[in-house]
Amino acid sequence: MEKRTELYRGKAKTVFTTEDPSRLVLHFRNDTSAFDGEKIEQLERKGMINNKFNHFIMSKLEQAGVPTQVEALLSDTDSLVKKLEMIPVECVVRNIAAGSICRRLGIEEGTELTPPTFEFFLKNDALHDPMINESHIRTFGWAEESHIEQMKTLTFKVNEILRKLFDDAGMLLVDYKLEFGLFDGKITLGDEITPDGCRLWDKETRKKLDKDRFRQGLGNVVEAYEEVSARLGITLS
Ligand code: C5P
């Protein structure tokens, strides 16, 4: 399937139309951004790694019964996906405290969260993606009642599947962000699951293997993404 026109350019991916109006191409770029785009760098190979990583993870989820947008890997940096009508909220599950929950609630980084927490954020760069609750989603009509429930159920189902997948590969799934949309009226997992949008720590040493290496200037960002991929058995070029 050929890329046609650019539909949308995000911070790390560009979305293209195809000859099929129900399909899009996601092009993963090397751009890496943090703090609402304040810090941006090009990290060689990152687009390729994230494209292959995302395809691997989404395929595992699909096999486990989670409806995802992913259709096919087209090239090192491009994937064919279903065109979703996106719901403008982000779903975050946390198994271990890190990042914004530590700042907001004064929780020490590394604290085990039992049961895991669930948070909704509004997808809105200008407002810096504020945290919202179900009442806001209902009142402002960002998602239908049944879709709110399904997003929560599916986000926790993803946690069960991915915690085990990463644990078997010697890693802790600290937290992650998911975005959903509708395809033929059915809730479907969209966007991406890559080390840009989740936190992964080595199980023994708790070494950070995700975008926090970039956010915190720890260095060896791409090397960490490659290590995570290798541990999962993902073939990179
Ligand atoms: O920043 P915070 O701790 O709330 O992030 C929780 C998780 O969601 C992290 O894994 C982070 O990478 C991801 N996230 C994201 N995109 C955002 C906000 C958070 O991928 N806009």
Side-chain angles (χ1 to χ4, degrees), residues 41-73:
E41 275 176 37
Q42 288 277 313
L43 298 179
E44 205 59 40
R45 289 170 60 76
K46 197 208 66 159
M48 177 272 295
I49 298 168
N50 276 6
N51 182 40
K52 294 192 172 175
F53 189 98
N54 180 59
H55 187 263
F56 176 88
I57 297 287
M58 291 283 188
S59 302
K60 291 277 179 204
L61 294 175
E62 190 79 50
Q63 285 161 21
V66 176
T68 76
Q69 68 175 352
V70 165
E71 293 271 286
L73 205 54

Side-chain angles (χ1 to χ4, degrees), residues 90 92-94 98-101 103-104 119 121 129 175-177 179 195-199 211 215:
E90 301 181 337
V92 172
V93 159
R94 299 174 197 269
S100 73
I101 199 169
R103 293 192 296 275
R104 277 183 281 119
E119 296 159 341
F121 293 87
D129 298 343
D175 59 30
Y176 56 94
K177 182 263 303 178
E179 293 180 30
D196 273 2
C198 62
R199 289 193 172 93
K211 199 162 89 171
R215 293 187 188 100

